[in-house]
Amino acid sequence: MTSKLNPKQQQAVKNISSPLLVLAGAGSGKTSVITQKIAYLVENCQMPAHKIMAVTFTNKAAREMKERVNNIIPRKSTRGLTISTFHNLGLNIIRREHRHLGLKPGFSIFDSQDSLALIKDLMQRESGDENAIIDSIQHTISNWKNDLLSPQQALSYATDDSELLAARVYAAYNRLLRAYNAVDFDDLILLPTNLFLEQKEILDKWQNKVHYLLVDEYQDTNHSQYLLIKLLVGVKASFTVVGDDDQSIYAWRGANPENLTQLKTDFPKLEVVMLEQNYRSSGRILKAANQLISNNPHLFDKTLWCDRGFGDPIRIVRQKNEDKEADFVVHDLMTHKLQKGLAWNDFAILYRGNFQSRIIELKLQALSVPYKVSGGTAFFSRSEIKDIMAYLRLLINRDDDNAFLRIVNTPRREIGISTLEKLGEYASGRQISLFAATQELGIESILPKRNLEKVREFSQWITDISQLCRERSPTAVIKQMIQEIDYPGWLSDQSNSPSAAEKRLENVWQLVKSIDKMLLDTDDLSSGEDPLENVISRLILRDIMEQQEEEDDSNRVQLMTLHASKGLEFPHVYLIGMEEELLPHRASIEEGNIEEERRLTYVGITRAQQTLTLSLSASRKQYGQTIEATPSRFLDELPKEDLDWHGMGIERSQEEKKSTAKAHLSGMRDLLR
C-alpha cells in the first residue's frame, strides 16, 4: 500500500508509537501521507475507522482526503471515519453538547456579515460611532475569541479608549448572541475549547472517541485551535500533524507558526520527519524558492529538491507601466498557448491584491480569452440564496433576529420600518426575540391593529411551515413555501432581465436539491435530533467556509491572489506587480512584517510547475498620480544566474510584435473555425 511513497513519506506513515510532526515542504505529497496513514491505521493496525479523526481547514481539502482514502481501502472499512474542517468539528461538538453551553437545539450560526451588522447596530445604539472603526472592532473581537479571552478579561486588559470601547461592544455582542440562541464563526472553536477546559467528564468522553488524530496545515492554527487539538489528544498523544512554517501566510487571521515549535515543549517525545522531495516544480524554480525563503529566520531548516530536471530560466519582465505590464502578460500567455497547443487552464496569473486583476481582465476580454477570477460571488453570497437560507434559519430557530429582519418583508408584506422599529424596541425591553415579541399581548398596545395583524400573520405562517416540515417531506414543504410567497415573481421584479431572474431561480432550486440530498445522508444524527435542523446548520457552516472555495474545472485562465493560490499548482505561472509597496505590501512594510510577505512570495513561486514569469512596472498610477515604482526587494534575493531579465519596458522588440501579431492571426482563425 505504501510502496509508492518515498522513504521519508513511508517513515511518516508507519510511525504511530510517538507524537509526530511532519514538516512537509511545498509539493512534497503531504496529502498522500495523511490519507495513506489513515489507510495504514485501519488496514495494518486494525484501528476502527470511527476512532480516527482528520482535521483540515477547508471543505475542499476534506473532500479530497475522503475521496483519496476511499480509493485506497474499501468504503465499508472507512465507515464512521471523521474527516472535517476545524469548524465542522467544533460545530459537531457544540451540537452534541449544546445543553452544557446554555444553547437550545437549532442554534443559529452568524457569518461575518451577520456579526458585522450586529456590531454596527450595537455601536450606533451605544456610542454613535462611525462605520470607519466597525471593521476594526469586529477584527479585535475575533482575535480576542481566538486567544480565548472573555469580555471580562478584554475589559480588564484594555489599555486605551479604543480597546475599552471594543471590550464593551464585545460584552454586549456576546449577550445578544446568546439572547438570539446564536454562535459566531469564532465560537465554533472557542466554545468547545472552553467546555473541555471546564468540564473534565465531557473532555474524557471526547478523548475516548478519538484514538488517533491527524491535522493538516498545522502552521495555520491559532491559539484556540492549538489548544483544542492538545485537549483532544490528551496524555495519549496519538497524533500526526503536518505543516510547513515557510507557508504560514495567515497571521492577519491569527495563524501562529510558532505552534510547530510549541509541540516539542508540550510533547517531549515528539518526533520530526522532513518531507523535502518536491513532485511539482522544476529544479530551477525550487532553487529560487529555497534561496528566497532562506532570508527568513527558520523554526526548522529544510531544502526542497526534485528529480524532474532543472528547467527553464525564471523570466523577470519590467514594463513601462501597469497597462504595458498587463499587455505583455496577456500577449505572452496567448502566444505560449497557441504555439505549444496548451490549454487555457494551464496558466495562472497571481497577484497580491484583488484590484490588480481589473486591468488583466480587460485585456483578456479584448482578446476573447476565457478566464476565471477566484473569489467572485460565492454561491451562498448570492442574495437569492441568502433570502431562502434566512427562511430556513427562522424555521429552525425563532430567536434568529437577523433572519427575521431579512425576510419579514421579502417579498413585501406591507410591514414598514416604523413597525419593525417599535417591535425591536419592545423585544429589547422584554429581552426576547422579535418573533416571540409578535406573540405577546403587550405588543398590542404598541402597534396599530392593522400593522399587528400583518406581523402576526407572518409569524403564524412561519410556525405552520415549521410544523409541516416535521409532518411531511421537508423538501416538499420548502418547495411549497417558495411558491406560496411567490418568490419566482419577486425575483422577476428584482432582476434586470428575464434571463437573470431565471438564473437566480435556478440557484434557488439548486439549493433545494442540495437540501434533499443532505437529508438522505444524516447517519451521524444523535438521538432525537431533527434532520432538517442538522442539514440547515451544516449549510450555514458551508456558506461561511466556502466563500472562496467554489470549484471550477472549465478550461479558463486562472486569476487569483497569492493567498487564494495556496495548495494549488499550474504548469505556467505569471506573478505580477513585483514592486515595493505591492509585494511586499505597504502595510506590511510599515508594520515590519516582511517575513510573511516573503513567505507569500515563496508560496507564489512554488505554485509553478514548468515556467515562472515575474513582472513589474517602471511606473504605476496611484490616487490619480503616476509615481515611479521600485522593484521588489525579493527580486534581489533570487539567484541571479537563474534569472532572465527582459528590458525596462520602454518598447517591445519588433520580433515580439511580429510574434504577437502572428499569434493573434492564428487565434482568430481558431475562433472562426
Side-chain angles (χ1 to χ4, degrees):
M1 185 193 309
T2 59
S3 58
K4 293 181 180 178
L5 302 179
N6 67 41
K8 287 291 185 181
Q9 290 173 327
Q10 290 193 41
Q11 181 185 347
V13 166
K14 294 179 179 178
N15 184 335
I16 60 168
S17 59
S18 62
L20 179 67
L21 166 61
V22 179
L23 281 167
S28 62
K30 66 182 178 61
T31 305
S32 294
V33 167
I34 293 172
T35 52
Q36 290 280 4
K37 187 152 195 171
I38 292 171
Y40 183 80
L41 290 166
V42 173
E43 297 271 279
N44 294 68
C45 306
Q46 283 74 54
M47 187 176 290
H50 68 271
K51 295 288 188 180
I52 301 170
M53 180 180 292
V55 186
T56 186
F57 277 87
T58 68
N59 286 309
K60 182 180 178 182
R63 283 195 300 271
E64 183 184 349
M65 282 187 198
K66 286 178 184 176
E67 289 169 6
R68 287 211 199 180
V69 170
N70 286 327
N71 287 334
I72 300 171
I73 57 178
R75 189 175 292 269
K76 64 180 181 180
S77 301
T78 65
R79 193 167 292 126
L81 171 68
T82 297
I83 300 179
S84 76
T85 63
F86 269 98
H87 291 89
N88 237 324
L89 169 62
L91 175 62
N92 283 335
I93 296 170
I94 294 172
R95 277 176 43 221
R96 295 176 189 273
E97 310 296 346
H98 62 84
R99 289 187 301 277
H100 299 283
L101 293 164
L103 292 166
K104 293 177 285 186
F107 55 86
S108 299
I109 305 173
F110 273 37
D111 65 14
S112 179
Q113 292 179 24
D114 295 331
S115 296
L116 194 64
L118 185 55
I119 291 169
K120 185 174 182 178
D121 182 51
L122 280 168
M123 291 187 68
Q124 285 175 344
R125 258 193 282 167
E126 296 191 3
S127 64
D129 278 291
E130 297 181 5
N131 294 343
I133 62 169
I134 293 174
D135 284 338
S136 173
I137 297 255
Q138 183 185 31
H139 186 66
T140 300
I141 291 172
S142 178
N143 285 342
W144 279 335
K145 288 195 173 191
N146 289 333
D147 289 337
L148 301 176
L149 284 180
S150 68
Q152 293 73 26
Q153 289 171 312
L155 273 168
S156 65
Y157 295 157
T159 57
D160 55 36
D161 289 344
S162 62
E163 286 188 3
L164 199 59
L165 172 62
R168 285 201 301 266
V169 173
Y170 179 20
Y173 169 75
N174 255 20
R175 282 198 305 272
L176 278 177
L177 281 181
R178 297 303 167 262
Y180 296 165
N181 192 38
V183 297
D184 66 17
F185 196 53
D186 298 310
D187 284 331
L188 295 179
I189 307 298
L190 170 72
L191 294 180
T193 304
N194 280 339
L195 182 65
F196 288 165
L197 286 169
E198 294 163 6
Q199 301 199 34
K200 187 177 183 303
E201 66 279 5
I202 295 176
L203 174 60
D204 289 343
K205 179 176 75 174
W206 281 89
Q207 285 179 342
N208 288 331
K209 287 176 181 285
V210 185
H211 284 193
Y212 204 93
L213 181 68
L214 303 101
V215 185
D216 189 21
E217 303 287 8
Y218 200 70
Q219 77 283 345
D220 291 338
T221 55
N222 59 34
H223 175 64
S224 58
Q225 289 162 338
Y226 178 88
L227 189 52
L228 179 63
I229 293 303
K230 181 182 172 183
L231 289 166
L232 270 175
V233 299
V235 293
K236 289 186 297 184
S238 296
F239 68 82
T240 294
V241 300
V242 182
D244 180 8
D245 54 322
D246 289 333
Q247 294 188 76
S248 180
I249 57 174
Y250 295 113
W252 49 275
R253 69 183 190 197
N256 185 8
E258 283 74 24
N259 284 343
L260 292 165
T261 51
Q262 184 63 35
L263 280 169
K264 190 67 177 175
T265 302
D266 290 339
F267 302 96
K269 294 182 179 179
L270 182 79
E271 292 197 20
V272 179
V273 173
M274 298 268 198
L275 300 185
E276 297 170 290
Q277 183 174 358
N278 176 282
Y279 293 93
R280 175 188 299 154
S281 306
S282 69
R284 200 186 303 263
I285 290 170
L286 295 180
K287 179 184 174 185
N290 287 330
Q291 184 158 317
L292 173 76
I293 205 65
S294 69
N295 290 279
N296 269 7
H298 273 77
L299 305 172
F300 304 92
D301 289 319
K302 64 181 181 305
T303 302
L304 297 180
W305 61 275
C306 73
D307 55 10
R308 294 165 56 91
F310 202 49
D312 297 335
I314 295 167
R315 290 188 303 167
I316 301 181
V317 182
R318 194 180 191 199
Q319 294 292 333
K320 186 175 182 180
N321 52 43
E322 65 263 45
D323 188 73
K324 296 291 186 185
E325 179 190 28
D327 262 338
F328 163 77
V329 168
V330 173
H331 289 141
D332 187 74
L333 181 156
M334 193 170 180
T335 301
H336 199 175
K337 190 266 184 197
L338 295 171
Q339 287 179 347
K340 301 288 179 67
L342 304 172
W344 291 118
N345 59 4
D346 285 338
F347 298 90
I349 302 173
L350 311 181
Y351 37 81
R352 179 63 175 86
N354 279 307
F355 73 93
Q356 292 173 262
S357 74
R358 294 169 195 152
I359 192 167
I360 297 285
E361 288 185 70
L362 291 173
K363 304 294 183 182
L364 292 169
Q365 290 168 10
L367 295 172
S368 300
V369 175
Y371 69 92
K372 183 204 174 192
V373 181
S374 292
T377 304
F379 180 75
F380 284 94
S381 296
R382 301 178 189 277
S383 62
E384 63 273 16
I385 299 303
K386 293 189 84 68
D387 285 346
I388 301 304
M389 283 299 297
Y391 274 98
L392 300 177
R393 284 164 53 186
L394 199 59
L395 287 180
I396 66 167
N397 177 16
R398 306 293 193 283
D399 295 331
D400 191 333
D401 281 357
N402 274 17
F404 182 97
L405 290 169
R406 183 176 185 97
I407 62 171
V408 69
N409 229 11
T410 304
R412 292 191 177 89
R413 295 184 174 86
E414 300 178 27
I415 299 172
I417 292 174
S418 60
T419 298
L420 293 174
E421 187 176 359
K422 289 175 183 175
L423 184 67
E425 289 172 355
Y426 178 83
S428 293
R430 296 274 295 132
Q431 294 190 325
I432 56 175
S433 69
L434 295 170
F435 191 96
T438 67
Q439 309 296 314
E440 291 212 339
L441 289 173
I443 195 67
E444 295 176 3
S445 62
I446 305 295
L447 293 180
K449 183 179 179 182
R450 185 174 181 279
N451 298 22
L452 180 60
E453 285 175 355
K454 291 287 183 184
V455 169
R456 282 186 168 168
E457 185 180 317
F458 169 72
S459 60
Q460 184 58 51
W461 178 77
I462 288 289
T463 302
D464 293 343
I465 292 291
S466 181
Q467 185 61 36
L468 284 174
C469 284
R470 290 176 174 81
E471 296 171 355
R472 304 180 193 172
S473 159
T475 310
V477 175
I478 291 167
K479 288 179 180 177
Q480 174 188 328
M481 176 189 77
I482 291 168
Q483 296 296 349
E484 277 188 15
I485 62 175
D486 190 22
Y487 196 73
W490 168 258
L491 286 180
S492 182
D493 292 340
Q494 299 297 310
S495 302
N496 295 327
S497 66
S499 60
E502 187 177 340
K503 286 179 182 177
R504 294 177 69 187
L505 187 58
E506 284 176 8
N507 290 334
V508 170
W509 296 132
Q510 184 180 336
L511 174 65
V512 175
K513 185 177 179 182
S514 296
I515 292 169
D516 193 44
K517 185 177 179 182
M518 293 174 73
L519 283 166
L520 297 174
D521 183 25
T522 50
D523 295 337
D524 64 339
L525 286 181
S526 54
S527 178
E529 188 174 0
D530 182 84
L532 187 61
E533 289 182 4
N534 173 284
V535 166
I536 293 170
S537 293
R538 292 188 179 282
L539 280 173
I540 294 167
L541 185 58
R542 184 182 295 179
D543 171 6
I544 299 170
M545 292 294 293
E546 295 191 351
Q547 295 288 329
Q548 303 295 329
E549 281 190 50
E550 284 192 292
E551 295 183 38
D552 186 355
D553 297 325
S554 60
N555 187 19
R556 296 192 271 177
V557 175
Q558 302 296 303
L559 275 62
M560 65 187 70
T561 65
L562 288 165
H563 283 98
S565 74
K566 188 165 174 288
L568 304 177
E569 57 187 38
F570 307 93
H572 309 285
V573 168
Y574 294 84
L575 206 172
I576 67 174
M578 290 294 298
E579 302 151 30
E580 289 290 299
E581 300 195 358
L582 264 184
L583 190 63
H585 193 272
R586 178 192 296 177
S588 296
I589 295 172
E590 292 172 351
E591 294 165 6
N593 194 15
I594 297 299
E595 292 170 12
E596 177 140 339
E597 294 290 300
R598 187 176 285 112
R599 292 195 291 267
L600 197 54
T601 307
Y602 172 85
V603 165
I605 289 172
T606 53
R607 299 313 94 196
Q609 296 171 301
Q610 299 171 27
T611 70
L612 174 64
T613 301
L614 310 177
S615 71
L616 63 154
S617 298
S619 64
R620 188 174 292 272
K621 281 186 180 177
Q622 285 190 2
Y623 310 111
Q625 291 185 329
T626 299
I627 63 167
E628 184 177 341
T630 305
S632 170
R633 69 190 71 188
F634 299 144
L635 295 174
D636 295 329
E637 298 176 1
L638 301 176
K640 291 180 174 55
E641 64 274 16
D642 296 302
L643 307 181
D644 183 8
W645 281 85
H646 286 259
M648 297 300 290
I650 304 304
E651 190 65 63
R652 281 186 295 142
S653 68
Q654 289 300 317
E655 185 179 340
E656 284 179 302
K657 289 180 179 178
K658 286 179 182 177
S659 176
T660 298
K662 187 176 179 182
H664 285 175
L665 181 60
S666 175
M668 288 301 295
R669 285 174 180 156
D670 287 346
L671 289 170
L672 289 171
R673 278 198 288 269

